[in-house]
Amino acid sequence: MNKQIIQTSDAPQAIGTYSQAVRIKGGETVYLSGQIGLDPVTMQMVEGFDAQTERVIQNMKAVAIASGGSLDDIVKLNVYLIDLTNFSKVNDIMAKYFSQPYPARAAIGVAALPRGALVEMEAVLVLPDKA
């Protein structure tokens, strides 16, 4: 297996032992690491649940573009929330960025996230054939 590491300055730099994304060479699958609401310029967390969710999606979009794809290529999305009562807000914000057919998705309640984040998302993309 050949792995291509995806790196972009348009999303926050990794704050641990992981890559922003990994693309499998010879295939069209890209695994995006979890994104939290860090501003990629300041590397500081944005304030509030809505702002963090918007920033998370913008960060994922930047990594998807650096991978050669877009948010439309996401086939599986995991959403981690420290408060599941925010689930409907996630749906409202996602509706601004995603259109049908929507990716498969899971929403998982967690006790805490890195840097005190309120939301984190990770995704799997399948890039279109370049025929």
PDB file of all heavy atoms in Angstrom, residues 37 45-56 86 89 93 116-119:
ATOM      1  N   GLY A  37     -12.488  23.152  15.848  1.00  0.00           N
ATOM      2  CA  GLY A  37     -12.706  24.540  15.451  1.00  0.00           C
ATOM      3  C   GLY A  37     -11.515  25.454  15.594  1.00  0.00           C
ATOM      4  O   GLY A  37     -11.660  26.597  16.032  1.00  0.00           O
ATOM      5  N   MET A  45      -8.803  28.335  19.084  1.00  0.00           N
ATOM      6  CA  MET A  45     -10.170  27.855  18.956  1.00  0.00           C
ATOM      7  C   MET A  45     -11.115  29.038  18.771  1.00  0.00           C
ATOM      8  O   MET A  45     -11.005  30.040  19.484  1.00  0.00           O
ATOM      9  CB  MET A  45     -10.557  27.085  20.225  1.00  0.00           C
ATOM     10  CG  MET A  45     -11.869  26.355  20.132  1.00  0.00           C
ATOM     11  SD  MET A  45     -11.804  24.936  19.033  1.00  0.00           S
ATOM     12  CE  MET A  45     -10.664  23.891  19.922  1.00  0.00           C
ATOM     13  N   VAL A  46     -12.031  28.923  17.798  1.00  0.00           N
ATOM     14  CA  VAL A  46     -13.051  29.955  17.644  1.00  0.00           C
ATOM     15  C   VAL A  46     -14.075  29.775  18.761  1.00  0.00           C
ATOM     16  O   VAL A  46     -14.192  28.702  19.355  1.00  0.00           O
ATOM     17  CB  VAL A  46     -13.703  29.923  16.237  1.00  0.00           C
ATOM     18  CG1 VAL A  46     -12.662  30.216  15.166  1.00  0.00           C
ATOM     19  CG2 VAL A  46     -14.410  28.608  15.976  1.00  0.00           C
ATOM     20  N   GLU A  47     -14.835  30.831  19.036  1.00  0.00           N
ATOM     21  CA  GLU A  47     -15.754  30.840  20.180  1.00  0.00           C
ATOM     22  C   GLU A  47     -17.154  30.377  19.807  1.00  0.00           C
ATOM     23  O   GLU A  47     -17.698  30.799  18.784  1.00  0.00           O
ATOM     24  CB  GLU A  47     -15.850  32.259  20.753  1.00  0.00           C
ATOM     25  CG  GLU A  47     -14.559  32.794  21.331  1.00  0.00           C
ATOM     26  CD  GLU A  47     -14.236  32.237  22.693  1.00  0.00           C
ATOM     27  OE1 GLU A  47     -15.182  31.915  23.439  1.00  0.00           O
ATOM     28  OE2 GLU A  47     -13.040  32.114  23.009  1.00  0.00           O
ATOM     29  N   GLY A  48     -17.747  29.521  20.627  1.00  0.00           N
ATOM     30  CA  GLY A  48     -19.147  29.135  20.488  1.00  0.00           C
ATOM     31  C   GLY A  48     -19.359  27.920  19.592  1.00  0.00           C
ATOM     32  O   GLY A  48     -18.579  27.641  18.690  1.00  0.00           O
ATOM     33  N   PHE A  49     -20.453  27.218  19.867  1.00  0.00           N
ATOM     34  CA  PHE A  49     -20.734  25.979  19.136  1.00  0.00           C
ATOM     35  C   PHE A  49     -20.934  26.212  17.647  1.00  0.00           C
ATOM     36  O   PHE A  49     -20.352  25.515  16.819  1.00  0.00           O
ATOM     37  CB  PHE A  49     -21.955  25.257  19.719  1.00  0.00           C
ATOM     38  CG  PHE A  49     -22.219  23.964  19.013  1.00  0.00           C
ATOM     39  CD1 PHE A  49     -21.512  22.825  19.345  1.00  0.00           C
ATOM     40  CD2 PHE A  49     -23.143  23.896  17.973  1.00  0.00           C
ATOM     41  CE1 PHE A  49     -21.714  21.633  18.660  1.00  0.00           C
ATOM     42  CE2 PHE A  49     -23.358  22.718  17.282  1.00  0.00           C
ATOM     43  CZ  PHE A  49     -22.635  21.579  17.632  1.00  0.00           C
ATOM     44  N   ASP A  50     -21.770  27.191  17.278  1.00  0.00           N
ATOM     45  CA  ASP A  50     -22.042  27.430  15.855  1.00  0.00           C
ATOM     46  C   ASP A  50     -20.765  27.801  15.108  1.00  0.00           C
ATOM     47  O   ASP A  50     -20.496  27.269  14.026  1.00  0.00           O
ATOM     48  CB  ASP A  50     -23.091  28.524  15.679  1.00  0.00           C
ATOM     49  CG  ASP A  50     -24.485  28.098  16.125  1.00  0.00           C
ATOM     50  OD1 ASP A  50     -24.646  26.955  16.610  1.00  0.00           O
ATOM     51  OD2 ASP A  50     -25.413  28.907  15.986  1.00  0.00           O
ATOM     52  N   ALA A  51     -19.982  28.700  15.665  1.00  0.00           N
ATOM     53  CA  ALA A  51     -18.732  29.129  15.024  1.00  0.00           C
ATOM     54  C   ALA A  51     -17.753  27.966  14.909  1.00  0.00           C
ATOM     55  O   ALA A  51     -17.072  27.824  13.889  1.00  0.00           O
ATOM     56  CB  ALA A  51     -18.107  30.287  15.795  1.00  0.00           C
ATOM     57  N   GLN A  52     -17.680  27.130  15.948  1.00  0.00           N
ATOM     58  CA  GLN A  52     -16.786  25.976  15.875  1.00  0.00           C
ATOM     59  C   GLN A  52     -17.240  25.002  14.798  1.00  0.00           C
ATOM     60  O   GLN A  52     -16.416  24.480  14.046  1.00  0.00           O
ATOM     61  CB  GLN A  52     -16.699  25.266  17.232  1.00  0.00           C
ATOM     62  CG  GLN A  52     -15.835  25.997  18.226  1.00  0.00           C
ATOM     63  CD  GLN A  52     -15.579  25.193  19.482  1.00  0.00           C
ATOM     64  OE1 GLN A  52     -15.609  23.966  19.478  1.00  0.00           O
ATOM     65  NE2 GLN A  52     -15.304  25.887  20.575  1.00  0.00           N
ATOM     66  N   THR A  53     -18.537  24.762  14.700  1.00  0.00           N
ATOM     67  CA  THR A  53     -19.042  23.824  13.697  1.00  0.00           C
ATOM     68  C   THR A  53     -18.760  24.353  12.291  1.00  0.00           C
ATOM     69  O   THR A  53     -18.312  23.598  11.415  1.00  0.00           O
ATOM     70  CB  THR A  53     -20.545  23.563  13.897  1.00  0.00           C
ATOM     71  OG1 THR A  53     -20.749  23.094  15.239  1.00  0.00           O
ATOM     72  CG2 THR A  53     -21.065  22.529  12.917  1.00  0.00           C
ATOM     73  N   GLU A  54     -18.990  25.633  12.068  1.00  0.00           N
ATOM     74  CA  GLU A  54     -18.676  26.250  10.772  1.00  0.00           C
ATOM     75  C   GLU A  54     -17.184  26.097  10.463  1.00  0.00           C
ATOM     76  O   GLU A  54     -16.804  25.721   9.358  1.00  0.00           O
ATOM     77  CB  GLU A  54     -19.046  27.739  10.776  1.00  0.00           C
ATOM     78  CG  GLU A  54     -20.513  28.016  10.901  1.00  0.00           C
ATOM     79  CD  GLU A  54     -21.228  28.232   9.575  1.00  0.00           C
ATOM     80  OE1 GLU A  54     -20.559  28.270   8.527  1.00  0.00           O
ATOM     81  OE2 GLU A  54     -22.460  28.369   9.604  1.00  0.00           O
ATOM     82  N   ARG A  55     -16.335  26.383  11.440  1.00  0.00           N
ATOM     83  CA  ARG A  55     -14.883  26.299  11.241  1.00  0.00           C
ATOM     84  C   ARG A  55     -14.454  24.865  10.962  1.00  0.00           C
ATOM     85  O   ARG A  55     -13.587  24.620  10.114  1.00  0.00           O
ATOM     86  CB  ARG A  55     -14.176  26.848  12.485  1.00  0.00           C
ATOM     87  CG  ARG A  55     -12.675  26.897  12.393  1.00  0.00           C
ATOM     88  CD  ARG A  55     -12.214  28.064  11.546  1.00  0.00           C
ATOM     89  NE  ARG A  55     -11.778  27.573  10.260  1.00  0.00           N
ATOM     90  CZ  ARG A  55     -11.554  28.328   9.183  1.00  0.00           C
ATOM     91  NH1 ARG A  55     -11.737  29.623   9.234  1.00  0.00           N
ATOM     92  NH2 ARG A  55     -11.154  27.803   8.058  1.00  0.00           N
ATOM     93  N   VAL A  56     -15.042  23.905  11.673  1.00  0.00           N
ATOM     94  CA  VAL A  56     -14.731  22.492  11.442  1.00  0.00           C
ATOM     95  C   VAL A  56     -15.004  22.130   9.984  1.00  0.00           C
ATOM     96  O   VAL A  56     -14.173  21.507   9.308  1.00  0.00           O
ATOM     97  CB  VAL A  56     -15.548  21.583  12.391  1.00  0.00           C
ATOM     98  CG1 VAL A  56     -15.532  20.138  11.934  1.00  0.00           C
ATOM     99  CG2 VAL A  56     -15.024  21.696  13.818  1.00  0.00           C
ATOM    100  N   ASN A  86     -26.923  19.546  20.868  1.00  0.00           N
ATOM    101  CA  ASN A  86     -26.530  20.383  19.729  1.00  0.00           C
ATOM    102  C   ASN A  86     -26.708  19.677  18.383  1.00  0.00           C
ATOM    103  O   ASN A  86     -26.372  20.243  17.344  1.00  0.00           O
ATOM    104  CB  ASN A  86     -25.080  20.847  19.874  1.00  0.00           C
ATOM    105  CG  ASN A  86     -24.939  21.920  20.924  1.00  0.00           C
ATOM    106  OD1 ASN A  86     -25.771  22.810  21.027  1.00  0.00           O
ATOM    107  ND2 ASN A  86     -23.884  21.835  21.713  1.00  0.00           N
ATOM    108  N   LYS A  89     -28.482  21.616  15.691  1.00  0.00           N
ATOM    109  CA  LYS A  89     -27.655  22.708  15.175  1.00  0.00           C
ATOM    110  C   LYS A  89     -26.676  22.197  14.127  1.00  0.00           C
ATOM    111  O   LYS A  89     -26.426  22.866  13.122  1.00  0.00           O
ATOM    112  CB  LYS A  89     -26.891  23.392  16.313  1.00  0.00           C
ATOM    113  CG  LYS A  89     -27.727  24.238  17.219  1.00  0.00           C
ATOM    114  CD  LYS A  89     -26.832  24.904  18.263  1.00  0.00           C
ATOM    115  CE  LYS A  89     -27.619  25.743  19.221  1.00  0.00           C
ATOM    116  NZ  LYS A  89     -26.753  26.400  20.210  1.00  0.00           N
ATOM    117  N   ILE A  93     -26.388  23.610  10.268  1.00  0.00           N
ATOM    118  CA  ILE A  93     -25.138  24.135   9.710  1.00  0.00           C
ATOM    119  C   ILE A  93     -24.672  23.271   8.540  1.00  0.00           C
ATOM    120  O   ILE A  93     -24.249  23.794   7.504  1.00  0.00           O
ATOM    121  CB  ILE A  93     -24.066  24.262  10.809  1.00  0.00           C
ATOM    122  CG1 ILE A  93     -24.503  25.333  11.824  1.00  0.00           C
ATOM    123  CG2 ILE A  93     -22.701  24.601  10.205  1.00  0.00           C
ATOM    124  CD1 ILE A  93     -23.689  25.383  13.090  1.00  0.00           C
ATOM    125  N   GLY A 116     -10.494  21.560  24.344  1.00  0.00           N
ATOM    126  CA  GLY A 116     -11.779  22.040  24.833  1.00  0.00           C
ATOM    127  C   GLY A 116     -12.812  22.245  23.737  1.00  0.00           C
ATOM    128  O   GLY A 116     -13.798  22.958  23.941  1.00  0.00           O
ATOM    129  N   ALA A 117     -12.598  21.620  22.588  1.00  0.00           N
ATOM    130  CA  ALA A 117     -13.535  21.760  21.467  1.00  0.00           C
ATOM    131  C   ALA A 117     -14.914  21.246  21.865  1.00  0.00           C
ATOM    132  O   ALA A 117     -15.051  20.347  22.696  1.00  0.00           O
ATOM    133  CB  ALA A 117     -13.020  20.982  20.256  1.00  0.00           C
ATOM    134  N   LEU A 118     -15.932  21.817  21.227  1.00  0.00           N
ATOM    135  CA  LEU A 118     -17.310  21.403  21.458  1.00  0.00           C
ATOM    136  C   LEU A 118     -17.772  20.396  20.414  1.00  0.00           C
ATOM    137  O   LEU A 118     -18.748  19.674  20.636  1.00  0.00           O
ATOM    138  CB  LEU A 118     -18.231  22.636  21.431  1.00  0.00           C
ATOM    139  CG  LEU A 118     -17.867  23.746  22.414  1.00  0.00           C
ATOM    140  CD1 LEU A 118     -18.749  24.973  22.172  1.00  0.00           C
ATOM    141  CD2 LEU A 118     -17.988  23.242  23.844  1.00  0.00           C
ATOM    142  N   VAL A 119     -17.079  20.353  19.268  1.00  0.00           N
ATOM    143  CA  VAL A 119     -17.448  19.475  18.157  1.00  0.00           C
ATOM    144  C   VAL A 119     -16.180  19.096  17.401  1.00  0.00           C
ATOM    145  O   VAL A 119     -15.232  19.881  17.309  1.00  0.00           O
ATOM    146  CB  VAL A 119     -18.479  20.159  17.219  1.00  0.00           C
ATOM    147  CG1 VAL A 119     -17.943  21.461  16.653  1.00  0.00           C
ATOM    148  CG2 VAL A 119     -18.943  19.230  16.120  1.00  0.00           C
TER     149      VAL A 119
END
